[in-house]
Amino acid sequence: MRADPKSWWKPFARPRWAELLLASTVATAIPATGATSAVAQGAPSAKAPAIPREFRGVWVASVANIDWPSKPGLSSWQQQAELIALLDRARALRLNAVLLQVRPAGDALYHSPFEPWSSYLTGVEGRAPEPYYDPLAFAVREAHARGLELHAWLNPYRARHPTMKGPNASTHMANTKPQWVKRYGNYLWMDPGEPGVLAHSVQVALDVVKRYDVDGIHVDDYFYPYPEADSNKVEVPFPDSGSYARYRARGGQLGVSDWRRNNVDRYVQQVYERTKAIKPWVKVGISPFGIWRPGYPQSVQGFDAYEKLAGDSRKWLHEGWVDYFTPQLYWPIARPAQSYPVLLDWWIGENLKGRHIWPGHNSSRAANGGPEWAPDELNNQVRATRATTARGQGATGDVFFSMKSLVPATLADRLTNEVFQQDALVPASPWLGAVRPTAPVARLRRDPSSREIVLRVTPGKRARWITVRTLHDGVWSHRVLPSSFTQLVVSDSSRRAPSRVVVSTVDRVGRESALVTLEGVR
C-alpha cells in the first residue's frame, strides 16, 4: 500500500445520522398509545426482503500520517476528534468496516507491553498520548457505536519507515534486539529468518486479539521488503545471509527462496490458527500484492511477489489460513496486463476453502484521475465485484485505499449515490460458528404528542447489529444499526404508518436471528 503521505485531515460536520444515533442511545419512556408488539417467528418471513450482504471497508493508514492522525504530536483530544470524524465519514458513506493501522513499524498506536508508542501518534517514539488514553480501545468503542467493524491492521516486519522523525525508542527492537534488525535502503526491517522475529511478531498480533474487542486482525503486503536498487539500478539483495547460514547449520535443506517463503508461511499460519484458539470469531485477513506470479492468469504481467516478497499468497488461500482475502487489485479494468476483473476472477478460482474475497481498490489513484481512471472507473470496479457475486461463489465486498481518497465529494458522492445507496451487512462467516443469536424484543408505539411512530428494541443475546425493514406503500426500505440502538422513528407525523416492520439481530460473525414482524399501528 503506497500513497502520498501528505497530511489531508480537516474537520467534518457531524452527519445527521450520528446525532440521531447518539440521541437514540438514551431510552425514553414512550406512552403506550397504539402500541403493538410481536415475538420471533420460527423462520424468516418470505415477504420481508433479505438485507444486502457486502463488505465495505476502508484502510486508515497511520504510517507517514497518511490518514490518521493528521500529524504527529497532536493532543489526545485532537486525535480523538479526528478519529471520530473519520468514523462518522465512513458511516455516512455507508461503509461497514474500518481497517486501522496500529503497528506501522515495530511500534504501536495502542498500549503495547511489547513495543513502544508510535512516533506517528505522539511525535516521539515511546511517548504515550497526553492526556493518556488508548487509541485502539477508543477506536473499537467508537466504531462499534456507529455499527462499524474495527480491524487492527498490523505490518509484520517493518521496523522503521523513512518518514519517521527522531531516534527509535530504547524499547524498540532495533535497540533491544539489533541482531534481528537489518538496514535495507532507507528502511529498517526485521529479518523474518530469525526465529525470535517470528515469535515476537506473532506474540504482538495475539496480544491485540486477547486484549481488544477487535473484529479482525489484518496483515498487509509488506513481508520481505520490496526490492531496493543501488546507484547503478542493480537490485540489492536483502541482508539475511547470516540467518540463512544459521538455518542451514541447524540442518535446514530449503533453498534461500523457499526458506524465505516458509518463514512467511509460518507467520501466516500461526497468526490464523492461534487467533482461532483464543477468539474464534475474530476474522483474520491478508491483503497481498494483487498478482501472485506473472502468467497467472496467462495474460497477466508484472511484479513477482511470490519471489520478491516471499509471499506465497495463493497457498494461504488454498490452506484456508485466512477468513478474508483482499488482493490489492490496484489497476483499471481496461489495462490488459493487469486487468481488474481478470485478476479478480483468477483469485476467485483459487478460493478452494470458500473464504471471503474482498478485493482492494486503488481509490487514491481514482481520486486523482488520469487517462486510465475515468470518473466512473471505481464504481465500475465495484460493479465488477458484484457481477462475480451474482454468478455465485464470487467476491462479496470491496476495500478502499485509503480514507483520504474518500473525503473529496466528487469521488465519495458518486460512490454513495450510485453503488452504496443503502446499508449493507458484512457477509456471514459460517465456518466460524452456526448458532444464531437470540431474536430481539421489539415494540411499536405512537407518540401521542408528536404522532411519530417509534420502534423500541431490546437486542437478544450475542447481538452486534439490529436490522430494521419497513414496508411503506408497498415499498421496502431497511437500516442496519448498532445493537446499542434502543429506539428509532420509523414514521413521522407527515407520513402514513408502515404496514409492516421487521426486526432482527445479527451477531459478530454475521448470523441473523429469527425475524420479528410488527403490524397494526395506526
Side-chain angles (χ1 to χ4, degrees):
M1 296 160 189
R2 301 185 177 189
D4 181 4
K6 294 179 181 178
S7 175
W8 63 272
W9 181 86
K10 60 181 179 180
F12 299 107
R14 185 185 296 276
R16 176 60 178 156
W17 79 265
E19 299 294 345
L20 294 173
L21 173 58
L22 294 174
S24 72
T25 59
V26 180
T28 56
I30 304 293
T33 305
T36 186
S37 61
V39 296
Q41 302 171 345
S45 168
K47 297 180 181 179
I51 302 291
R53 296 275 187 162
E54 184 173 64
F55 191 83
R56 301 173 183 171
V58 61
W59 281 291
V60 174
S62 60
V63 67
N65 296 102
I66 291 173
D67 290 311
W68 179 84
S70 62
K71 60 182 180 180
L74 297 177
S75 72
S76 296
W77 295 288
Q78 290 171 311
Q79 293 170 11
Q80 291 174 4
E82 288 189 358
L83 189 53
I84 285 173
L86 292 177
L87 297 174
D88 281 351
R89 181 65 168 169
R91 177 69 198 208
L93 294 172
R94 301 191 186 97
L95 306 182
N96 52 30
V98 169
L99 286 61
L100 178 64
Q101 189 176 32
V102 297
R103 191 203 189 209
D107 51 358
L109 281 86
Y110 62 96
H111 187 182
S112 172
F114 305 113
E115 296 184 314
W117 288 99
S118 175
S119 67
Y120 296 119
L121 186 71
T122 63
V124 177
E125 190 171 82
R127 178 182 293 172
E130 178 61 39
Y132 176 82
Y133 80 111
D134 188 319
L136 181 53
F138 178 84
V140 168
R141 182 175 68 251
E142 295 297 326
H144 288 172
R146 288 158 176 77
L148 298 166
E149 287 196 347
L150 196 289
H151 295 226
W153 165 16
L154 311 172
N155 185 282
Y157 300 121
R158 188 168 54 209
R160 185 183 174 96
H161 191 276
T163 59
M164 178 186 164
K165 307 298 183 184
N168 286 110
S170 60
T171 53
H172 190 275
M173 183 186 288
N175 292 316
T176 60
K177 297 289 185 182
Q179 69 275 21
W180 291 353
V181 177
K182 305 295 190 293
R183 178 165 292 280
Y184 189 60
N186 293 324
Y187 293 81
L188 292 182
W189 214 265
M190 302 174 201
D191 182 353
E194 293 287 354
V197 167
L198 171 65
H200 176 81
S201 290
V202 171
Q203 182 182 44
V204 166
L206 298 180
D207 173 62
V208 171
V209 173
K210 291 174 184 176
R211 294 195 295 117
Y212 295 91
D213 190 25
V214 295
D215 300 286
I217 292 292
H218 182 82
V219 179
D220 61 26
D221 56 315
Y222 290 97
F223 298 101
Y224 279 79
Y226 282 84
E228 297 280 344
D230 62 20
S231 58
N232 295 318
K233 298 184 179 181
V234 176
E235 184 176 318
V236 177
F238 183 70
D240 59 354
S241 57
S243 53
Y244 179 63
R246 287 188 289 277
Y247 159 78
R248 297 285 293 193
R250 294 192 299 269
Q253 300 295 314
L254 295 175
V256 64
S257 292
D258 288 337
W259 167 74
R260 287 174 176 167
R261 280 186 288 275
N262 183 62
N263 294 333
V264 177
D265 289 347
R266 291 163 63 206
Y267 171 83
V268 172
Q269 182 180 11
Q270 288 192 33
V271 168
Y272 185 79
E273 293 179 350
R274 294 175 67 180
T275 292
K276 297 308 164 190
I278 299 167
K279 292 180 180 177
W281 59 87
V282 172
K283 293 186 280 285
V284 176
I286 297 181
S287 56
F289 187 77
I291 298 170
W292 176 61
R293 303 205 74 178
Y296 295 85
Q298 187 174 3
S299 62
V300 167
Q301 304 170 25
F303 184 74
D304 189 349
Y306 175 89
E307 183 63 32
K308 300 297 186 182
L309 305 183
D312 191 355
S313 48
R314 185 178 72 167
K315 178 179 180 179
W316 312 331
L317 190 58
H318 282 186
E319 295 291 341
W321 293 341
V322 292
D323 297 303
Y324 67 93
F325 194 73
T326 302
Q328 295 174 29
L329 305 186
Y330 284 179
W331 305 280
I333 292 171
R335 185 182 293 184
Q338 300 94 23
S339 170
Y340 175 86
V342 170
L343 281 163
L344 178 57
D345 282 343
W346 185 83
W347 280 115
I348 290 169
E350 298 299 320
N351 186 20
L352 305 183
K353 298 289 188 180
R355 300 307 200 224
H356 297 302
I357 303 290
W358 298 332
H361 296 266
N362 194 349
S363 53
S364 294
R365 186 67 184 86
N368 293 331
E372 294 183 298
W373 294 89
D376 59 352
E377 173 69 27
L378 187 63
N379 285 10
N380 284 340
Q381 290 188 10
V382 173
R383 294 182 182 107
T385 303
R386 289 176 175 173
T388 71
T389 308
R391 297 199 304 264
Q393 300 298 318
T396 56
D398 305 272
V399 185
F400 303 98
F401 188 84
S402 67
M403 188 65 199
K404 72 175 182 179
S405 69
L406 302 184
V407 173
T410 303
L411 182 70
D413 286 354
R414 290 180 68 93
L415 194 67
T416 305
N417 295 334
E418 295 179 16
V419 294
F420 294 160
Q421 299 100 327
Q422 290 189 307
D423 293 346
L425 282 167
V426 172
S429 304
W431 57 91
L432 299 182
V435 179
R436 297 167 75 183
T438 306
V441 175
R443 179 170 297 179
L444 287 172
R445 298 173 182 267
R446 184 184 292 278
D447 187 308
S449 57
S450 69
R451 305 304 294 165
E452 293 175 334
I453 296 176
V454 180
L455 172 68
R456 292 287 303 275
V457 180
T458 302
K461 294 180 180 178
R462 301 183 302 279
R464 173 52 64 86
W465 294 277
I466 296 169
T467 76
V468 180
R469 282 159 271 201
T470 56
L471 181 62
H472 271 103
D473 299 324
V475 178
W476 285 97
S477 61
H478 71 267
R479 296 284 302 275
V480 176
L481 304 166
S483 60
S484 55
F485 247 85
T486 59
Q487 65 182 42
L488 177 71
V489 175
V490 296
S491 183
D492 61 26
S493 59
S494 65
R495 193 179 188 188
R496 288 198 307 172
S499 56
R500 185 174 300 122
V501 176
V502 177
V503 186
S504 70
T505 55
V506 179
D507 70 9
R508 63 190 309 156
V509 299
R511 295 165 295 203
E512 187 173 13
S513 72
L515 304 187
V516 173
T517 299
L518 307 172
E519 298 177 305
V521 174
R522 297 291 182 265

